[in-house]
Amino acid sequence: MEQVKKGRFKYTKEERSWILQDWANSAYSIMITTAVFPLFFKAVAESGGLNEVTSTAYWGYANSIATLIISVLAPVLGALADYKDQRMPMFSWFTIGGILATLAFAFAPGGNWQFLFFFYIISAIGFSGANIFYDGSLVDVTTKTRMHRISAAGFGWGYIGSSIPFIIFIIFQLTGLLPISQVALIKLGFVLTAIWWFAFTIPYWKNVKQKSFIKREPHIVKNSFKRLWETVRGIRQHKQAFLFLLAYFFYIDGVGTIFKMATAIGSDIGLSANDLIVVMLVVQFVAFPFSILYGVLAKRFGAKNMIFVGIITYTFICVYALQLDSLRTFIILALLVGTAQGGIQSLSRSLFGQLIPEGRSNEYFGFYNIFGKFAAVVGPLLVGLIAQATGNSLDGVFALIVLFVIGGILLTFVKIPESISE
């Protein structure tokens, strides 16, 4: 039963700690994946002899390599994490690995884009790998009737949490208060991101426990592969969950690609680094209320219908991307992304959490991540190849429309059990 105090939705300690982990790792998403690091990488790559289109292509390749690796590992990691006392150590290893790789950016030799390329892949694997176990723990901190609200709150508060170190960085960027060079300031931002990520993960380490698990047994690695094979063979038993994953594979590819390539593409149309950073900050504040709103509306209209709203929004974004030619048009596109990004991701996570069998959340979320992450190999690669072939990054963004259309069509065939709908 939902906990309510004076008519207000109240979070438990476990739910708050789980939400705070999104607050912690979202700093990586904005500082490294989206806003600051892509521009830094492109600047270093271009100083190393690459042109702007090729540097954007290599940024796409780095994302594709990282997501390919984590996609291959995801189902095995998820199956292992379903055993008692396995999830938290694995979560910790990937989290610490991602944090240390983020710190490594601060020690990058001048002009060595290959160094950044390598450690970005390591950091992205750490970030994505940790999220397999984080997503799987959603079923342990809340009930099925509260999942949409809690998942949406995670994304929503994550946008606010990530904005704080971002704002600190912007203040020093625009005012020049620190007597250091621009490169030194950017590297300091990477250090701040790593510290933020670590500090706000502590409540998760302390309060989130693995409540749904399989008892430990000998040869857990061998048996994990055996369970994975049994799950694949028994796909018909959970047809709706896997049909949803197929739809998710396509539409989330487009969502992730636009998210990861946004600043690189903005740079290609001539926008300054400061303009792009400020726009990304505005997007964070727009995404916060809309993420929460998606969670609230899902209770009334259903998560599936709200995911359709997000897909329609992104389809329009792909078409509108062809009009990008100024700061004004980029702001409009970025704000549209902000209205849908958190909502479509959070409801996808919680809807899948409602469709999967109890006691096997990490294994199934391993499949959730392999579909989501492996899909993300295709999108950045597609943008990169088309950008090099046509000399125009916007053509690559428009091509993503097919992913949203296919995903939307497949989603129409997903039937939500009546018990969940109620």
mmCIF file of all heavy atoms in Angstrom, residues 45-88:
data_model
loop_
_atom_site.group_PDB
_atom_site.id
_atom_site.type_symbol
_atom_site.label_atom_id
_atom_site.label_comp_id
_atom_site.label_asym_id
_atom_site.label_seq_id
_atom_site.Cartn_x
_atom_site.Cartn_y
_atom_site.Cartn_z
ATOM 1 N N ALA A 45 40.870 16.153 -30.251
ATOM 2 C CA ALA A 45 41.004 15.373 -31.481
ATOM 3 C C ALA A 45 41.330 16.265 -32.674
ATOM 4 O O ALA A 45 42.171 15.919 -33.516
ATOM 5 C CB ALA A 45 39.723 14.593 -31.737
ATOM 6 N N GLU A 46 40.677 17.420 -32.737
ATOM 7 C CA GLU A 46 40.926 18.327 -33.854
ATOM 8 C C GLU A 46 42.308 18.970 -33.763
ATOM 9 O O GLU A 46 42.943 19.246 -34.784
ATOM 10 C CB GLU A 46 39.815 19.372 -33.919
ATOM 11 C CG GLU A 46 38.474 18.770 -34.387
ATOM 12 C CD GLU A 46 37.279 19.672 -34.149
ATOM 13 O OE1 GLU A 46 37.482 20.900 -34.040
ATOM 14 O OE2 GLU A 46 36.153 19.150 -34.060
ATOM 15 N N SER A 47 42.782 19.193 -32.525
ATOM 16 C CA SER A 47 44.155 19.694 -32.367
ATOM 17 C C SER A 47 45.170 18.618 -32.739
ATOM 18 O O SER A 47 46.325 18.920 -33.056
ATOM 19 C CB SER A 47 44.398 20.154 -30.934
ATOM 20 O OG SER A 47 44.426 19.050 -30.039
ATOM 21 N N GLY A 48 44.684 17.345 -32.713
ATOM 22 C CA GLY A 48 45.553 16.235 -33.086
ATOM 23 C C GLY A 48 45.497 15.884 -34.557
ATOM 24 O O GLY A 48 46.074 14.872 -34.973
ATOM 25 N N GLY A 49 44.768 16.683 -35.348
ATOM 26 C CA GLY A 49 44.773 16.503 -36.797
ATOM 27 C C GLY A 49 43.489 16.008 -37.418
ATOM 28 O O GLY A 49 43.398 15.904 -38.649
ATOM 29 N N LEU A 50 42.448 15.705 -36.609
ATOM 30 C CA LEU A 50 41.182 15.253 -37.168
ATOM 31 C C LEU A 50 40.314 16.460 -37.511
ATOM 32 O O LEU A 50 40.336 17.454 -36.796
ATOM 33 C CB LEU A 50 40.438 14.354 -36.176
ATOM 34 C CG LEU A 50 41.161 13.084 -35.695
ATOM 35 C CD1 LEU A 50 40.250 12.285 -34.762
ATOM 36 C CD2 LEU A 50 41.609 12.225 -36.868
ATOM 37 N N ASN A 51 39.512 16.367 -38.583
ATOM 38 C CA ASN A 51 38.579 17.453 -38.872
ATOM 39 C C ASN A 51 37.330 17.292 -38.007
ATOM 40 O O ASN A 51 37.151 16.277 -37.331
ATOM 41 C CB ASN A 51 38.219 17.514 -40.357
ATOM 42 C CG ASN A 51 37.542 16.246 -40.859
ATOM 43 O OD1 ASN A 51 36.648 15.716 -40.229
ATOM 44 N ND2 ASN A 51 37.986 15.758 -42.018
ATOM 45 N N GLU A 52 36.420 18.285 -38.042
ATOM 46 C CA GLU A 52 35.296 18.275 -37.109
ATOM 47 C C GLU A 52 34.337 17.121 -37.342
ATOM 48 O O GLU A 52 33.790 16.545 -36.394
ATOM 49 C CB GLU A 52 34.543 19.609 -37.161
ATOM 50 C CG GLU A 52 33.889 19.934 -38.489
ATOM 51 C CD GLU A 52 33.126 21.252 -38.452
ATOM 52 O OE1 GLU A 52 33.424 22.079 -37.575
ATOM 53 O OE2 GLU A 52 32.230 21.437 -39.297
ATOM 54 N N VAL A 53 34.107 16.755 -38.614
ATOM 55 C CA VAL A 53 33.203 15.644 -38.889
ATOM 56 C C VAL A 53 33.817 14.320 -38.443
ATOM 57 O O VAL A 53 33.152 13.470 -37.844
ATOM 58 C CB VAL A 53 32.846 15.597 -40.393
ATOM 59 C CG1 VAL A 53 32.060 14.328 -40.719
ATOM 60 C CG2 VAL A 53 32.050 16.832 -40.788
ATOM 61 N N THR A 54 35.105 14.135 -38.688
ATOM 62 C CA THR A 54 35.782 12.904 -38.291
ATOM 63 C C THR A 54 35.852 12.778 -36.774
ATOM 64 O O THR A 54 35.698 11.684 -36.221
ATOM 65 C CB THR A 54 37.198 12.846 -38.886
ATOM 66 O OG1 THR A 54 37.120 12.967 -40.309
ATOM 67 C CG2 THR A 54 37.884 11.536 -38.530
ATOM 68 N N SER A 55 36.063 13.886 -36.077
ATOM 69 C CA SER A 55 36.098 13.842 -34.611
ATOM 70 C C SER A 55 34.737 13.444 -34.056
ATOM 71 O O SER A 55 34.645 12.697 -33.079
ATOM 72 C CB SER A 55 36.533 15.193 -34.035
ATOM 73 O OG SER A 55 35.583 16.204 -34.302
ATOM 74 N N THR A 56 33.651 13.931 -34.699
ATOM 75 C CA THR A 56 32.306 13.519 -34.290
ATOM 76 C C THR A 56 32.103 12.033 -34.551
ATOM 77 O O THR A 56 31.502 11.318 -33.741
ATOM 78 C CB THR A 56 31.239 14.326 -35.055
ATOM 79 O OG1 THR A 56 31.351 15.713 -34.722
ATOM 80 C CG2 THR A 56 29.830 13.855 -34.708
ATOM 81 N N ALA A 57 32.624 11.561 -35.669
ATOM 82 C CA ALA A 57 32.501 10.142 -35.998
ATOM 83 C C ALA A 57 33.221 9.282 -34.960
ATOM 84 O O ALA A 57 32.687 8.261 -34.501
ATOM 85 C CB ALA A 57 33.075 9.876 -37.387
ATOM 86 N N TYR A 58 34.428 9.679 -34.561
ATOM 87 C CA TYR A 58 35.172 8.911 -33.559
ATOM 88 C C TYR A 58 34.480 8.940 -32.202
ATOM 89 O O TYR A 58 34.559 7.975 -31.435
ATOM 90 C CB TYR A 58 36.613 9.417 -33.446
ATOM 91 C CG TYR A 58 37.533 8.734 -34.424
ATOM 92 C CD1 TYR A 58 37.907 9.357 -35.618
ATOM 93 C CD2 TYR A 58 38.018 7.456 -34.191
ATOM 94 C CE1 TYR A 58 38.735 8.733 -36.537
ATOM 95 C CE2 TYR A 58 38.847 6.818 -35.094
ATOM 96 C CZ TYR A 58 39.209 7.465 -36.265
ATOM 97 O OH TYR A 58 40.022 6.825 -37.171
ATOM 98 N N TRP A 59 33.812 10.042 -31.892
ATOM 99 C CA TRP A 59 33.023 10.092 -30.663
ATOM 100 C C TRP A 59 31.885 9.066 -30.735
ATOM 101 O O TRP A 59 31.597 8.372 -29.750
ATOM 102 C CB TRP A 59 32.475 11.506 -30.468
ATOM 103 C CG TRP A 59 31.540 11.655 -29.303
ATOM 104 C CD1 TRP A 59 30.225 12.010 -29.341
ATOM 105 C CD2 TRP A 59 31.851 11.463 -27.921
ATOM 106 N NE1 TRP A 59 29.701 12.044 -28.081
ATOM 107 C CE2 TRP A 59 30.667 11.712 -27.185
ATOM 108 C CE3 TRP A 59 33.007 11.096 -27.240
ATOM 109 C CZ2 TRP A 59 30.607 11.607 -25.800
ATOM 110 C CZ3 TRP A 59 32.964 10.983 -25.856
ATOM 111 C CH2 TRP A 59 31.781 11.246 -25.148
ATOM 112 N N GLY A 60 31.273 8.948 -31.893
ATOM 113 C CA GLY A 60 30.255 7.920 -32.078
ATOM 114 C C GLY A 60 30.828 6.521 -31.961
ATOM 115 O O GLY A 60 30.226 5.639 -31.345
ATOM 116 N N TYR A 61 32.027 6.311 -32.513
ATOM 117 C CA TYR A 61 32.655 4.995 -32.442
ATOM 118 C C TYR A 61 32.987 4.618 -30.998
ATOM 119 O O TYR A 61 32.839 3.453 -30.603
ATOM 120 C CB TYR A 61 33.921 4.970 -33.290
ATOM 121 C CG TYR A 61 33.694 5.248 -34.763
ATOM 122 C CD1 TYR A 61 34.695 5.834 -35.550
ATOM 123 C CD2 TYR A 61 32.480 4.936 -35.380
ATOM 124 C CE1 TYR A 61 34.482 6.094 -36.889
ATOM 125 C CE2 TYR A 61 32.266 5.193 -36.721
ATOM 126 C CZ TYR A 61 33.275 5.771 -37.474
ATOM 127 O OH TYR A 61 33.060 6.037 -38.810
ATOM 128 N N ALA A 62 33.445 5.571 -30.203
ATOM 129 C CA ALA A 62 33.771 5.303 -28.799
ATOM 130 C C ALA A 62 32.533 4.832 -28.046
ATOM 131 O O ALA A 62 32.583 3.879 -27.258
ATOM 132 C CB ALA A 62 34.354 6.554 -28.135
ATOM 133 N N ASN A 63 31.401 5.500 -28.303
ATOM 134 C CA ASN A 63 30.160 5.093 -27.656
ATOM 135 C C ASN A 63 29.719 3.711 -28.136
ATOM 136 O O ASN A 63 29.229 2.898 -27.342
ATOM 137 C CB ASN A 63 29.059 6.122 -27.938
ATOM 138 C CG ASN A 63 29.172 7.338 -27.049
ATOM 139 O OD1 ASN A 63 28.917 7.287 -25.852
ATOM 140 N ND2 ASN A 63 29.577 8.464 -27.630
ATOM 141 N N SER A 64 29.900 3.434 -29.401
ATOM 142 C CA SER A 64 29.503 2.136 -29.940
ATOM 143 C C SER A 64 30.338 1.004 -29.339
ATOM 144 O O SER A 64 29.801 -0.055 -28.990
ATOM 145 C CB SER A 64 29.640 2.133 -31.465
ATOM 146 O OG SER A 64 28.729 3.019 -32.062
ATOM 147 N N ILE A 65 31.635 1.217 -29.209
ATOM 148 C CA ILE A 65 32.515 0.186 -28.646
ATOM 149 C C ILE A 65 32.141 -0.107 -27.200
ATOM 150 O O ILE A 65 32.031 -1.273 -26.785
ATOM 151 C CB ILE A 65 33.987 0.628 -28.745
ATOM 152 C CG1 ILE A 65 34.434 0.652 -30.208
ATOM 153 C CG2 ILE A 65 34.890 -0.311 -27.936
ATOM 154 C CD1 ILE A 65 35.798 1.289 -30.426
ATOM 155 N N ALA A 66 31.934 0.946 -26.411
ATOM 156 C CA ALA A 66 31.597 0.772 -24.996
ATOM 157 C C ALA A 66 30.281 0.027 -24.839
ATOM 158 O O ALA A 66 30.161 -0.901 -24.017
ATOM 159 C CB ALA A 66 31.529 2.127 -24.298
ATOM 160 N N THR A 67 29.291 0.417 -25.616
ATOM 161 C CA THR A 67 27.984 -0.217 -25.489
ATOM 162 C C THR A 67 27.995 -1.651 -26.012
ATOM 163 O O THR A 67 27.286 -2.511 -25.485
ATOM 164 C CB THR A 67 26.900 0.589 -26.220
ATOM 165 O OG1 THR A 67 27.324 0.869 -27.557
ATOM 166 C CG2 THR A 67 26.634 1.905 -25.508
ATOM 167 N N LEU A 68 28.818 -1.924 -27.009
ATOM 168 C CA LEU A 68 28.934 -3.295 -27.518
ATOM 169 C C LEU A 68 29.503 -4.208 -26.436
ATOM 170 O O LEU A 68 28.998 -5.311 -26.201
ATOM 171 C CB LEU A 68 29.823 -3.325 -28.758
ATOM 172 C CG LEU A 68 30.109 -4.711 -29.349
ATOM 173 C CD1 LEU A 68 28.811 -5.386 -29.777
ATOM 174 C CD2 LEU A 68 31.084 -4.609 -30.522
ATOM 175 N N ILE A 69 30.544 -3.739 -25.749
ATOM 176 C CA ILE A 69 31.174 -4.551 -24.703
ATOM 177 C C ILE A 69 30.203 -4.823 -23.559
ATOM 178 O O ILE A 69 30.044 -5.965 -23.105
ATOM 179 C CB ILE A 69 32.444 -3.861 -24.176
ATOM 180 C CG1 ILE A 69 33.523 -3.836 -25.277
ATOM 181 C CG2 ILE A 69 32.980 -4.580 -22.938
ATOM 182 C CD1 ILE A 69 34.752 -3.015 -24.917
ATOM 183 N N ILE A 70 29.528 -3.787 -23.075
ATOM 184 C CA ILE A 70 28.616 -3.980 -21.946
ATOM 185 C C ILE A 70 27.403 -4.777 -22.372
ATOM 186 O O ILE A 70 26.802 -5.506 -21.565
ATOM 187 C CB ILE A 70 28.213 -2.618 -21.325
ATOM 188 C CG1 ILE A 70 27.714 -2.809 -19.888
ATOM 189 C CG2 ILE A 70 27.165 -1.917 -22.153
ATOM 190 C CD1 ILE A 70 28.730 -3.351 -18.930
ATOM 191 N N SER A 71 27.025 -4.699 -23.635
ATOM 192 C CA SER A 71 25.896 -5.482 -24.128
ATOM 193 C C SER A 71 26.188 -6.969 -24.082
ATOM 194 O O SER A 71 25.329 -7.784 -23.742
ATOM 195 C CB SER A 71 25.555 -5.068 -25.562
ATOM 196 O OG SER A 71 25.115 -3.737 -25.619
ATOM 197 N N VAL A 72 27.411 -7.335 -24.432
ATOM 198 C CA VAL A 72 27.805 -8.746 -24.400
ATOM 199 C C VAL A 72 27.844 -9.262 -22.956
ATOM 200 O O VAL A 72 27.447 -10.402 -22.670
ATOM 201 C CB VAL A 72 29.170 -8.933 -25.081
ATOM 202 C CG1 VAL A 72 29.680 -10.355 -24.899
ATOM 203 C CG2 VAL A 72 29.073 -8.600 -26.565
ATOM 204 N N LEU A 73 28.303 -8.408 -22.045
ATOM 205 C CA LEU A 73 28.448 -8.817 -20.642
ATOM 206 C C LEU A 73 27.142 -8.783 -19.861
ATOM 207 O O LEU A 73 26.985 -9.521 -18.878
ATOM 208 C CB LEU A 73 29.460 -7.906 -19.942
ATOM 209 C CG LEU A 73 30.908 -7.960 -20.418
ATOM 210 C CD1 LEU A 73 31.744 -6.923 -19.676
ATOM 211 C CD2 LEU A 73 31.491 -9.358 -20.208
ATOM 212 N N ALA A 74 26.190 -7.937 -20.265
ATOM 213 C CA ALA A 74 25.024 -7.625 -19.442
ATOM 214 C C ALA A 74 24.221 -8.835 -18.971
ATOM 215 O O ALA A 74 23.939 -8.958 -17.775
ATOM 216 C CB ALA A 74 24.114 -6.644 -20.185
ATOM 217 N N PRO A 75 23.804 -9.742 -19.852
ATOM 218 C CA PRO A 75 22.975 -10.850 -19.361
ATOM 219 C C PRO A 75 23.705 -11.771 -18.395
ATOM 220 O O PRO A 75 23.115 -12.285 -17.449
ATOM 221 C CB PRO A 75 22.566 -11.583 -20.646
ATOM 222 C CG PRO A 75 23.581 -11.199 -21.651
ATOM 223 C CD PRO A 75 24.011 -9.814 -21.302
ATOM 224 N N VAL A 76 24.997 -11.988 -18.620
ATOM 225 C CA VAL A 76 25.775 -12.835 -17.716
ATOM 226 C C VAL A 76 25.923 -12.156 -16.356
ATOM 227 O O VAL A 76 25.747 -12.784 -15.306
ATOM 228 C CB VAL A 76 27.166 -13.141 -18.315
ATOM 229 C CG1 VAL A 76 27.974 -14.016 -17.353
ATOM 230 C CG2 VAL A 76 27.027 -13.821 -19.664
ATOM 231 N N LEU A 77 26.235 -10.872 -16.372
ATOM 232 C CA LEU A 77 26.359 -10.126 -15.123
ATOM 233 C C LEU A 77 25.040 -10.136 -14.355
ATOM 234 O O LEU A 77 25.018 -10.305 -13.130
ATOM 235 C CB LEU A 77 26.778 -8.679 -15.412
ATOM 236 C CG LEU A 77 28.163 -8.483 -16.021
ATOM 237 C CD1 LEU A 77 28.371 -7.008 -16.390
ATOM 238 C CD2 LEU A 77 29.248 -8.929 -15.053
ATOM 239 N N GLY A 78 23.938 -9.954 -15.079
ATOM 240 C CA GLY A 78 22.634 -9.955 -14.435
ATOM 241 C C GLY A 78 22.301 -11.296 -13.816
ATOM 242 O O GLY A 78 21.772 -11.369 -12.704
ATOM 243 N N ALA A 79 22.623 -12.388 -14.523
ATOM 244 C CA ALA A 79 22.357 -13.725 -14.003
ATOM 245 C C ALA A 79 23.191 -13.997 -12.754
ATOM 246 O O ALA A 79 22.703 -14.566 -11.768
ATOM 247 C CB ALA A 79 22.640 -14.774 -15.079
ATOM 248 N N LEU A 80 24.443 -13.593 -12.764
ATOM 249 C CA LEU A 80 25.299 -13.754 -11.588
ATOM 250 C C LEU A 80 24.774 -12.957 -10.404
ATOM 251 O O LEU A 80 24.812 -13.410 -9.257
ATOM 252 C CB LEU A 80 26.730 -13.315 -11.920
ATOM 253 C CG LEU A 80 27.571 -14.262 -12.774
ATOM 254 C CD1 LEU A 80 28.855 -13.570 -13.220
ATOM 255 C CD2 LEU A 80 27.906 -15.533 -11.984
ATOM 256 N N ALA A 81 24.283 -11.749 -10.681
ATOM 257 C CA ALA A 81 23.839 -10.853 -9.609
ATOM 258 C C ALA A 81 22.559 -11.316 -8.939
ATOM 259 O O ALA A 81 22.215 -10.821 -7.864
ATOM 260 C CB ALA A 81 23.640 -9.443 -10.162
ATOM 261 N N ASP A 82 21.834 -12.262 -9.538
ATOM 262 C CA ASP A 82 20.622 -12.772 -8.904
ATOM 263 C C ASP A 82 20.927 -13.709 -7.737
ATOM 264 O O ASP A 82 20.045 -14.007 -6.940
ATOM 265 C CB ASP A 82 19.741 -13.495 -9.929
ATOM 266 C CG ASP A 82 18.805 -12.542 -10.658
ATOM 267 O OD1 ASP A 82 18.383 -11.551 -10.049
ATOM 268 O OD2 ASP A 82 18.509 -12.777 -11.839
ATOM 269 N N TYR A 83 22.169 -14.179 -7.633
ATOM 270 C CA TYR A 83 22.538 -15.001 -6.488
ATOM 271 C C TYR A 83 22.707 -14.129 -5.244
ATOM 272 O O TYR A 83 23.090 -12.961 -5.338
ATOM 273 C CB TYR A 83 23.831 -15.765 -6.763
ATOM 274 C CG TYR A 83 23.663 -16.914 -7.728
ATOM 275 C CD1 TYR A 83 24.101 -16.814 -9.051
ATOM 276 C CD2 TYR A 83 23.050 -18.094 -7.322
ATOM 277 C CE1 TYR A 83 23.937 -17.860 -9.937
ATOM 278 C CE2 TYR A 83 22.885 -19.156 -8.209
ATOM 279 C CZ TYR A 83 23.331 -19.027 -9.514
ATOM 280 O OH TYR A 83 23.159 -20.069 -10.393
ATOM 281 N N LYS A 84 22.425 -14.709 -4.108
ATOM 282 C CA LYS A 84 22.477 -13.981 -2.847
ATOM 283 C C LYS A 84 23.857 -13.368 -2.612
ATOM 284 O O LYS A 84 24.890 -14.021 -2.808
ATOM 285 C CB LYS A 84 22.123 -14.920 -1.686
ATOM 286 C CG LYS A 84 22.034 -14.225 -0.341
ATOM 287 C CD LYS A 84 21.636 -15.200 0.762
ATOM 288 C CE LYS A 84 21.535 -14.474 2.107
ATOM 289 N NZ LYS A 84 21.163 -15.416 3.198
ATOM 290 N N ASP A 85 23.873 -12.102 -2.220
ATOM 291 C CA ASP A 85 25.084 -11.353 -1.858
ATOM 292 C C ASP A 85 26.040 -11.119 -3.033
ATOM 293 O O ASP A 85 27.208 -10.804 -2.825
ATOM 294 C CB ASP A 85 25.851 -12.051 -0.725
ATOM 295 C CG ASP A 85 25.018 -12.180 0.544
ATOM 296 O OD1 ASP A 85 24.209 -11.271 0.811
ATOM 297 O OD2 ASP A 85 25.179 -13.190 1.263
ATOM 298 N N GLN A 86 25.547 -11.250 -4.248
ATOM 299 C CA GLN A 86 26.400 -11.029 -5.420
ATOM 300 C C GLN A 86 26.226 -9.639 -6.012
ATOM 301 O O GLN A 86 27.170 -9.091 -6.571
ATOM 302 C CB GLN A 86 26.109 -12.072 -6.499
ATOM 303 C CG GLN A 86 26.678 -13.444 -6.227
ATOM 304 C CD GLN A 86 28.189 -13.441 -6.282
ATOM 305 O OE1 GLN A 86 28.854 -13.627 -5.264
ATOM 306 N NE2 GLN A 86 28.749 -13.217 -7.451
ATOM 307 N N ARG A 87 25.038 -9.064 -5.914
ATOM 308 C CA ARG A 87 24.758 -7.834 -6.645
ATOM 309 C C ARG A 87 25.593 -6.649 -6.167
ATOM 310 O O ARG A 87 26.175 -5.931 -6.983
ATOM 311 C CB ARG A 87 23.268 -7.467 -6.556
ATOM 312 C CG ARG A 87 22.901 -6.274 -7.437
ATOM 313 C CD ARG A 87 21.433 -5.944 -7.332
ATOM 314 N NE ARG A 87 21.075 -5.472 -6.003
ATOM 315 C CZ ARG A 87 19.859 -5.557 -5.483
ATOM 316 N NH1 ARG A 87 18.892 -6.138 -6.169
ATOM 317 N NH2 ARG A 87 19.613 -5.094 -4.280
ATOM 318 N N MET A 88 25.648 -6.422 -4.870
ATOM 319 C CA MET A 88 26.332 -5.230 -4.386
ATOM 320 C C MET A 88 27.823 -5.219 -4.696
ATOM 321 O O MET A 88 28.360 -4.181 -5.120
ATOM 322 C CB MET A 88 26.097 -5.057 -2.884
ATOM 323 C CG MET A 88 26.598 -3.709 -2.351
ATOM 324 S SD MET A 88 25.770 -2.291 -3.156
ATOM 325 C CE MET A 88 24.175 -2.327 -2.336
#
